[in-house]
Amino acid sequence: MQNLPGPLKAVVDQLSSLPGIGPKSALRIALTLLKMPREKAGGVGQSIIDLRENLCLCEECACLAESSPCAICADPGRDEHQLCLVPEWDALLAMEEMGIYKGRYLVLGGLLSPLDGVEPGHLEIERLRRHLSKGDISELVLALGATLDAESTASYIKNLVDTNYSGVEISRLAQGIPIGAEVKYMDKETLKQSLLHRQKV
Ligand SMILES: [Zn+2]
């Protein structure tokens, strides 16, 4: 994409830095934007700016929300004795879509990955400790997936809880879920079954 006019090249470079968008798709998107009426193209730009300005991290569960606490954390109908740990926000969405889990969440912000240098300090472990210290939680549901990193994270958390917070039961999604599966990609029915048949750790 050497011969593109400067402003077009700038947009193509920005777009192709996004996941799943190569230079060719980036050019196609840029040209589509160029053909749009000025106002519509401006709307696309503005919505990207608003994304940053109008979203915040919920102080309770660390999910992306329009306000803190988020709608789930502020809902008095949710069971505060149950806390479900998910790696990322999209896993929370998958759990919510299933519609049968009625407890609270905590978004860990990733999974421990010794090979990639992701350590407990990079995750929301302090937030988890704060929740556990309040003493309201009786069950911690691990919805971390069935990957190697999920395993390391699960055993780290089990160790943390067993050593510091007696009386908190840990369960995990049933092992029927395919090895290597990430929660966000699981189909609704599989996820539902694995929650209903979750196992004590
Ligand atoms: Zn929240």
Side-chain angles (χ1 to χ4, degrees):
M1 302 283 163
Q2 293 299 326
N3 301 322
L4 293 178
L8 190 56
K9 186 175 182 310
V11 175
V12 169
D13 286 349
Q14 295 286 354
L15 289 172
S16 55
S17 70
L18 300 173
I21 302 184
K24 277 186 187 167
S25 316
L27 180 60
R28 209 162 56 233
I29 296 170
L31 292 175
T32 308
L33 289 168
L34 200 57
K35 276 186 220 153
M36 277 181 185
R38 195 190 172 90
E39 260 179 30
K40 197 169 174 201
V44 174
Q46 192 58 47
S47 64
I48 295 173
I49 295 170
D50 290 349
L51 196 60
R52 264 199 170 272
E53 307 218 319
N54 298 339
L55 277 183
C56 61
L57 218 54
C58 169
E59 268 171 56
E60 295 288 318
C61 71
C63 82
L64 287 172
E66 279 180 73
S67 60
S68 177
C70 71
I72 295 175
C73 291
D75 182 352
R78 310 278 308 208
D79 185 352
E80 57 182 357
H81 304 298
Q82 233 179 5
L83 187 73
C84 176
L85 289 188
V86 290
E88 298 287 357
W89 184 60
D90 38 14
L92 183 156
L93 292 184
M95 291 288 292
E96 278 301 282
E97 205 162 296
M98 175 173 70
I100 56 166
Y101 176 71
K102 293 295 173 213
R104 304 268 171 103
Y105 293 96
L106 179 64
V107 180
L108 272 180
L111 292 169
L112 291 180
S113 179
L115 291 178
D116 293 330
V118 183
E119 295 169 13
H122 297 117
L123 305 181
E124 295 285 354
I125 301 295
E126 276 314 306
R127 211 183 292 259
L128 172 63
R129 280 176 168 276
R130 278 209 299 279
H131 278 286
L132 291 167
S133 301
K134 284 188 211 154
D136 300 331
I137 295 164
S138 54
E139 185 186 2
L140 204 56
V141 182
L142 304 182
L144 302 173
T147 59
L148 213 58
D149 290 347
E151 289 303 319
S152 337
T153 312
S155 67
Y156 175 85
I157 287 168
K158 179 167 167 46
N159 199 16
L160 176 87
V161 172
D162 286 352
T163 341
N164 302 287
Y165 309 95
S166 57
V168 177
E169 200 166 273
I170 305 181
S171 61
R172 60 192 294 171
L173 296 187
Q175 292 294 283
I177 66 175
I179 297 296
E182 290 187 52
V183 173
K184 60 186 169 184
Y185 297 131
M186 281 164 67
D187 70 86
K188 224 194 267 183
E189 194 48 37
T190 312
L191 190 54
K192 198 166 165 180
Q193 289 307 321
S194 59
L195 177 67
L196 290 174
H197 301 289
R198 64 186 183 276
Q199 298 153 339
K200 218 169 148 180
V201 179

